[in-house]
Amino acid sequence: MARKKPVKTILSALPDKSSVDTESSKWSRRRFVRNSTLLTFATALGMPIVNGTKLPYGLHPVALESGNVPFSIEGKHSDLVLLNDRPLNAETPAHLLNDDITPNDVLFVRNNGLPPTDVDPETWTLTIEGESIEKPIELSLNDLKTRFTPYTYQLTLECGGNGRSEFDPPAKGNQWSTGAVGCPLFTGVRLKDVLSYAGIKTDAVYIGYYGKDTHISGDVNKTPISRGVPISKAMEEESLIAWSMNGEDLPMQNGYPLRLVFGGWPASTSGKWLSKIVVRNQIHDGAKMESPSYRVPCKPVAPGTKVPDEEMCIIESMPVKSLITYPKTGGILHTKKSLTVRGHAWAGDLEVDKVEVSIDFGATWRACHLKSPANRLAWQHWSVDLSFDKEGYYEVWAKATDSKGSSQPMVLPGWNPKGYLNNACHRIALKVKS
Amino acid sequence: MSWIREIKGLKKRVRFLQLSAVLLLVCVCLFSMNTPKTPKKVLRPITEQYHFAEDPNDLFEIREGIEVQSGLVAKGDWLIVKQTCTGCHSSKLITQNRANAEGWAQMIDWMQETQGLWDLGANEAKVVSYLATYYAPEETGRRRALVVDDWYDIE
């Protein structure tokens, strides 16, 4: 009985024509289909959907999809932490990032929209155009693979909002802890080779990308995200148009079949499901280029300050940071046993000069063994042997310093309204027993 | 005799047209049954609009004060929040965020300005009040204590 009532109610509660402005005809077949669909939704939910008739076409209420119900992402490790299922956002626990090269199944997912559902690599094309391109071109995947020299680099991708969950007052958005980072091997062609092929005008300032993902509202006129980088970053040797990750096709959620990769910059610049690149004679003005997205106050502000849009500056290179990937936090160790602590460190466009750890809450620091990066913009591996003489509770803190002398802060770095760039040192908890 | 054949053909066509007309009429009737006769106000408090159980909470699985499907705190106007917000995005976007009333209201404004969210009418105050009550910011300072869910032995 309880199921039938709302079904009846929603039929009688259908709005008049004026509230369904997208439909012109009373005899709309679409309305008929929509009403039937809403009935199905209402039945499944056990309640009607308020304003359901205003739901964009093709949109399924998330309430039906998942809540605390177990959720898995195809091709991804089941221990990834799901932050949001529409759009999909999932981060990697630190201990799953212990590999030198991040495997495909553990690289984090940060979607702004919904990935395309009908990808055909045979017909996929990439268009190069924009006011600062000499001759616009369209290339197939095969063109890219055969006409240009492919390169493989290990590149660090980190979401600009990685670490957001720690800010106080809290910042809005997906509450990433430490896991929106990874460093896989990407194979593709150099962006500069492709842009040069199409001819770059001397007034070029910025590049912008467009992908085949769609806005979560279902509105086809809305672009979920279209960001980019200054032409100088675009022309770097490691800036790739990539089709492969660790020797395999890109995972679906990481941009299959084609994406940009700009190591060391907010990963939002590395457009996924790439279909078009525009070369601009101004700073690109696509979706989420505007303030306050991916921007921080041009001048430092006190926590909680309201910052006008025009006083927010675009994030470029990411700051120096490190992760402890072994052991997993919460380990219990026996005294007299030594422990090798391992992790990675990276520094945006720069290199990491040193990594130190502390087991006494920052009072003393011990230098770690640090390897050189596999290539520019790849993260670096560090390790250190520790032993604990006394029983008790310990925290291991890791602190990296970049080639210009900047270190990770032990407390949160400068507060910013959107909660970007938290590079406070990573900490894990350990207990030592005799 | 070709004109006789033409007349026969014409008859067939007329019959076909008649059949089509009847079918069309049936379709029109079916659609009109589904069309509202009187305009209804869309935005009304949920409690007035729908009555589908003595206690709506009976329809949902609530464990330790949390509605299992959405993960929302099952107190106050949580049902309005579930219905209003999870139409377009995951409830996880609510449960992982914290803000005061002003902050939540700003998020609603942003969704209305840029993401196509409709006017919530009288429900807006209820939604904001619920969110500011159950998803309020906690002061965590410059660094909070580490929380360990599962302690384990390092081999």
Side-chain angles (χ1 to χ4, degrees), chain B:
Chain B
M1 286 310 197
S2 63
W3 58 276
I4 293 180
R5 242 178 278 140
E6 265 178 38
I7 285 181
K8 277 186 180 169
L10 205 65
K11 274 186 181 170
K12 271 185 192 166
R13 257 173 257 163
V14 167
R15 199 167 295 162
F16 176 75
L17 279 172
Q18 281 175 336
L19 206 68
S20 305
V22 168
L23 272 171
L24 195 71
L25 205 68
V26 169
C27 289
V28 165
C29 288
L30 276 173
F31 274 102
S32 63
M33 280 164 69
N34 191 51
T35 308
K37 296 287 182 291
T38 49
K40 296 272 176 182
K41 217 174 148 193
V42 180
L43 297 168
R44 273 188 297 167
I46 178 107
T47 42
E48 284 176 28
Q49 205 171 351
Y50 307 111
H51 298 278
F52 43 82
E54 287 296 308
D55 179 358
N57 289 354
D58 289 350
L59 289 170
F60 304 95
E61 191 186 344
I62 293 166
R63 249 183 262 152
E64 291 170 8
I66 303 289
E67 198 254 326
V68 173
Q69 193 187 40
S70 63
L72 290 170
V73 174
K75 287 179 185 168
D77 288 321
W78 74 274
L79 242 178
I80 297 178
V81 173
K82 179 173 178 176
Q83 289 171 316
T84 307
C85 307
T86 62
C88 292
H89 62 74
S90 170
S91 54
K92 286 182 185 295
L93 210 48
I94 300 169
T95 55
Q96 65 170 318
N97 274 286
R98 296 288 180 274
N100 56 20
E102 189 191 6
W104 285 112
Q106 278 170 0
M107 279 183 250
I108 290 171
D109 289 347
W110 175 80
M111 286 187 275
Q112 286 170 334
E113 283 160 19
T114 67
Q115 306 295 305
L117 175 65
W118 48 85
D119 182 357
L120 301 181
N123 277 351
E124 177 160 335
K126 293 181 183 180
V127 168
V128 169
S129 163
Y130 168 87
L131 294 170
T133 305
Y134 301 107
Y135 298 95
E138 305 151 33
E139 281 187 25
T140 55
R142 290 304 281 239
R143 211 79 214 252
R144 67 186 80 166
L146 290 178
V147 178
V148 174
D149 296 327
D150 301 300
W151 289 96
Y152 67 98
D153 285 314
I154 297 177
E155 293 305 315

Side-chain angles (χ1 to χ4, degrees), chain A residues 196-217:
Chain A
S196 302
Y197 180 74
I200 309 162
K201 291 186 188 170
T202 51
D203 65 352
V205 168
Y206 227 88
I207 72 108
Y209 67 75
Y210 291 90
K212 287 281 186 195
D213 45 344
T214 53
H215 197 270
I216 56 163
S217 68

Side-chain angles (χ1 to χ4, degrees), chain A residues 31 156-157 194 237-238 240 242 270 282 295 342 385 400:
Chain A
R31 176 186 283 185
T156 309
L157 277 184
V194 177
E237 293 192 342
E238 301 82 6
L240 294 182
S270 298
Q282 60 170 72
R295 291 182 186 229
R342 284 191 287 270
D385 293 327

Side-chain angles (χ1 to χ4, degrees), chain A residues 58-267:
Chain A
L59 184 56
H60 293 231
V62 177
L64 297 179
E65 291 171 358
S66 75
N68 288 355
V69 180
F71 192 92
S72 71
I73 307 165
E74 204 182 328
K76 290 291 172 184
H77 198 288
S78 58
D79 287 346
L80 255 56
V81 178
L82 184 71
L83 299 179
N84 194 351
D85 42 49
R86 186 186 181 87
L88 194 58
N89 284 269
E91 70 173 317
T92 319
H95 68 278
L96 287 184
L97 289 170
N98 194 44
D99 298 271
D100 287 357
I101 298 170
T102 307
N104 288 6
D105 68 333
V106 297
L107 183 66
F108 72 99
V109 177
R110 195 287 184 251
N111 291 349
N112 285 263
L114 307 173
T117 52
D118 51 353
V119 174
D120 178 1
E122 297 301 315
T123 57
W124 193 272
T125 56
L126 172 66
T127 305
I128 311 290
E129 57 181 45
E131 61 268 14
S132 295
I133 276 292
E134 301 276 0
K135 56 169 179 26
I137 52 169
E138 189 182 88
L139 300 160
S140 67
L141 270 183
N142 195 50
D143 291 337
L144 283 169
K145 291 177 183 177
T146 54
R147 286 200 212 168
F148 304 91
T149 311
Y151 293 89
T152 298
Y153 295 108
Q154 196 188 348
L155 298 168
T156 309
L157 277 184
E158 182 180 18
C159 174
N162 196 22
R164 175 179 292 137
S165 64
E166 283 195 283
F167 280 105
D168 175 23
K172 295 147 203 163
N174 288 299
Q175 299 296 306
W176 304 101
S177 61
T178 58
V181 65
C183 195
L185 277 171
F186 289 100
T187 302
V189 292
R190 285 177 174 159
L191 176 58
K192 68 169 186 173
D193 290 349
V194 177
L195 296 185
S196 302
Y197 180 74
I200 309 162
K201 291 186 188 170
T202 51
D203 65 352
V205 168
Y206 227 88
I207 72 108
Y209 67 75
Y210 291 90
K212 287 281 186 195
D213 45 344
T214 53
H215 197 270
I216 56 163
S217 68
D219 184 343
V220 290
N221 297 315
K222 279 190 188 297
T223 306
I225 187 164
S226 169
R227 304 196 69 247
V229 295
I231 196 76
S232 55
K233 178 70 179 172
M235 299 301 280
E236 285 182 1
E237 293 192 342
E238 301 82 6
S239 296
L240 294 182
I241 300 172
W243 56 78
S244 163
M245 200 164 117
N246 297 325
E248 294 172 25
D249 285 344
L250 290 168
M252 188 63 218
Q253 299 297 340
N254 299 118
Y256 176 76
L258 199 64
R259 71 172 301 164
L260 284 168
V261 187
F262 296 109
W265 281 43

